Amino acid sequence: MSSEQESLKQLFQREFSKMIAVISGLYGLQHIEIAEDIVSETFLLAAETWGIKGTPKNPTAWLYVVAKQKAIHHFRRDKILKNKIIPELTSRQDKSPNADELNFSPENIKDQQLQMLFAICNPAIAGEAQIGLALRILCGFGIDEIAEAFFTNKETIHKRLFRAKEKLRNERIKMELPSDEEIEKRLENVLRIVYLLFNEGYYSKTQNRILRKDLCLEAMRLAVMIVEYKKTDLPKVNALLALMCFHSSRFSARDFGGESFILYENQDENLWDKALIHKGIEFLNRSAFGMELSSYHLEARIAYWHCIKEDSAEKWNEILGCYDQLLEINYSPGAALNRIFALYKSKGPESALREAENTRFEKNHFYYLLLSELLKNQDPQMAKIHLQKAYFLAKTETEKKGIQEKIDELS
């Protein structure tokens, strides 16, 4: 892929959702599909034009100008058509907004995205459809990526998105921040969307890449946007931000050029971003108020202990205790496997192996990776068999490459 194509792809991931939010904010969510079309056509024109003339000095400004022109053309043409065919509609309709009012200033983009995030999480839309629509419209996910995030197929995602957009039209859902009481109800799904976005970036299941920093940074930007709004500056939002800061601090030490990744125990601690760790501690301290203990609090605490490289009984006992609490309030196979690993580091392989044998996740390659780790010293041959099973179940070539290296080491 050429540098121009890569640059345009990065621009798409960064600007797609912003442009849709501004256009939908002016014309209404009932026109969200038109906004998608306008933005997609803008990027298509950019690919054609820049391929011939080269990338402009300010590509973002170029995109905003073209999107604005296309929006003006579409909605003026639409208005003229309606006036000619059904002129009596003109007197019944409210005055249409003027596309000249499209405002792509950073402040307006932030306001419109925050409004859209809460509008999409309207209870009239089914929970999974809310998250799918947000990942598509606000985060620029492709259909493949959304299907991976939900462990389903593209056809199911297409149907969910269609129904969600239909609800936006039929229920006349407005682009506005809801009441204080309604904000509290919708916040859980809003945070889940941001969390899913960060997770897909931090451990990507698509595109044969383990780490996608662009998605992680977009998730952090959305989280900062939420915490900067006074009514949503709540402990669990700060906990989520702390979690993301701690994980992001290890990007440079973890990345190996996109084709592989460096395991935690092999990372160079000097490459960790100390400023981000301190920022994470600041957000973690801000989260330590009120009576609610969310899963984000516990995951942030676990991530904090992973920012201390030295192995110690205190570290792994604390992590084990956090996983015990996490599984009580938000059980997941991933957390259950991570708890067994913490048990292994805290109590030794025998205790962990008994737990692992009672917790069977036979379709999860991480389960076999864990079994291999627990058995590598006492039964290398069985450990190798488990690695071969993990290799077969791994979803990306990057993962398979890492597992093959482990198999080679045992051999």
Side-chain angles (χ1 to χ4, degrees):
M1 183 181 286
S2 69
S3 59
E4 289 84 2
Q5 288 174 314
E6 184 64 27
S7 175
L8 187 59
K9 182 182 176 184
Q10 290 168 350
L11 272 170
F12 180 85
Q13 290 170 337
R14 191 175 72 237
E15 301 298 334
F16 175 80
S17 62
K18 297 177 184 178
M19 294 160 74
I20 288 177
V22 171
I23 295 170
S24 300
L26 183 62
Y27 289 101
L29 283 170
Q30 69 270 28
H31 296 301
I32 196 167
E33 287 179 318
I34 294 171
E36 282 186 87
D37 290 341
I38 288 170
V39 176
S40 296
E41 288 169 12
T42 299
F43 276 96
L44 183 61
L45 183 61
E48 294 171 352
T49 306
W50 300 359
I52 299 169
K53 298 182 178 179
T55 305
K57 288 184 179 180
N58 190 337
T60 302
W62 188 98
L63 292 169
Y64 290 168
V65 168
V66 172
K68 188 172 182 178
Q69 290 171 345
K70 286 185 174 294
I72 289 171
H73 175 71
H74 176 87
F75 286 103
R76 279 183 181 168
R77 182 188 62 192
D78 189 56
K79 187 176 180 181
I80 291 168
L81 189 64
K82 283 182 179 177
N83 288 349
K84 283 185 176 178
I85 297 175
I86 319 175
E88 65 270 17
L89 279 179
T90 308
S91 59
R92 294 189 226 147
Q93 289 176 334
D94 295 329
K95 185 179 178 182
S96 299
N98 189 342
D100 294 323
E101 298 169 23
L102 281 173
N103 176 4
F104 286 104
S105 68
E107 196 57 39
N108 190 54
I109 287 172
K110 187 169 74 171
D111 289 345
Q112 297 300 330
Q113 283 197 298
L114 188 63
Q115 290 178 25
M116 178 172 274
L117 194 51
F118 278 93
I120 285 173
C121 290
N122 189 297
I125 302 171
E128 287 189 337
Q130 288 178 13
I131 296 167
L133 189 58
L135 291 177
R136 173 67 186 142
I137 301 302
L138 271 168
C139 307
F141 268 39
I143 301 300
D144 286 338
E145 292 171 304
I146 301 172
E148 286 280 2
F150 282 108
F151 300 101
T152 187
N153 56 58
K154 292 191 289 185
E155 185 182 353
T156 299
I157 297 302
H158 276 299
K159 288 178 180 177
R160 284 181 191 169
L161 293 179
F162 175 79
R163 287 194 294 267
K165 291 173 184 177
E166 202 171 43
K167 279 287 184 182
L168 289 176
R169 287 191 296 271
N170 296 340
E171 300 288 334
R172 297 186 176 275
I173 294 171
K174 294 181 179 179
M175 278 266 293
E176 60 185 13
L177 287 170
S179 65
D180 293 0
E181 182 183 353
E182 193 62 30
I183 279 181
E184 182 65 28
K185 290 178 183 176
R186 297 187 196 182
L187 185 59
E188 201 58 51
N189 265 5
V190 167
L191 295 183
R192 189 180 170 206
I193 288 162
V194 176
Y195 179 78
L196 276 175
L197 178 62
F198 186 86
N199 274 3
E200 172 58 25
Y202 190 72
Y203 198 90
S204 180
K205 304 181 192 71
T206 59
Q207 299 190 15
N208 281 324
R209 291 167 61 192
I210 291 296
L211 180 62
R212 298 181 60 191
K213 294 180 186 177
D214 52 324
L215 297 185
C216 293
L217 294 174
E218 180 64 12
M220 294 178 77
R221 187 186 68 81
L222 290 173
V224 168
M225 186 175 73
I226 296 165
V227 88
E228 285 179 346
Y229 181 57
K230 187 177 179 180
K231 293 179 181 178
T232 51
D233 183 12
L234 300 173
K236 60 186 173 185
V237 185
N238 283 279
L240 177 56
L241 257 173
L243 167 65
M244 293 191 286
C245 285
F246 292 139
H247 281 321
S248 300
S249 70
R250 298 199 301 277
F251 278 171
S252 297
R254 182 171 174 256
D255 194 11
F256 198 67
E259 296 181 356
S260 186
F261 65 102
I262 301 170
L263 295 172
Y264 174 77
E265 58 266 26
N266 298 326
Q267 289 174 14
D268 181 355
E269 187 181 353
N270 294 317
L271 295 176
W272 292 356
D273 189 326
K274 302 300 190 294
L276 261 179
I277 293 172
H278 288 306
K279 198 67 183 174
I281 292 170
E282 180 185 320
F283 284 121
L284 189 59
N285 289 335
R286 285 176 58 178
S287 75
F289 295 95
M291 300 299 292
E292 181 183 12
L293 179 67
S294 70
S295 59
Y296 304 120
H297 284 89
L298 294 165
E299 289 192 48
R301 186 73 180 165
I302 292 166
Y304 161 76
W305 279 105
H306 278 93
C307 290
I308 301 170
K309 188 69 182 289
E310 182 186 356
D311 272 353
S312 67
E314 180 192 13
K315 171 181 172 176
W316 288 107
N317 286 337
E318 285 285 340
I319 291 174
L320 181 60
C322 286
Y323 274 120
D324 285 337
Q325 290 179 284
L326 181 61
L327 289 171
E328 286 182 13
I329 64 174
N330 188 18
Y331 181 89
S332 73
L337 290 174
N338 286 335
R339 181 198 170 275
I340 295 171
F341 183 81
L343 181 65
Y344 158 57
K345 299 293 284 187
S346 176
K347 309 293 183 186
E350 290 79 11
S351 299
L353 193 57
R354 284 195 297 272
E355 288 274 349
E357 288 171 346
N358 291 327
T359 309
R360 305 185 70 83
F361 298 112
E362 295 177 345
K363 293 183 179 181
N364 188 323
H365 72 285
F366 290 114
Y367 174 66
Y368 292 106
L369 283 173
L370 176 62
L371 287 175
S372 173
E373 175 68 22
L374 299 178
L375 289 167
K376 67 181 182 181
N377 292 322
Q378 67 183 70
D379 192 343
Q381 188 58 36
M382 184 56 70
K384 183 178 176 181
I385 291 170
H386 287 310
L387 282 174
Q388 289 167 340
K389 290 179 180 178
Y391 182 92
F392 177 75
L393 291 169
K395 292 187 175 182
T396 69
E397 289 304 316
T398 308
E399 290 175 316
K400 288 180 183 292
K401 182 180 177 182
I403 295 168
Q404 185 61 53
E405 288 171 1
K406 286 178 174 289
I407 293 171
D408 293 342
E409 286 173 12
L410 280 178
S411 299

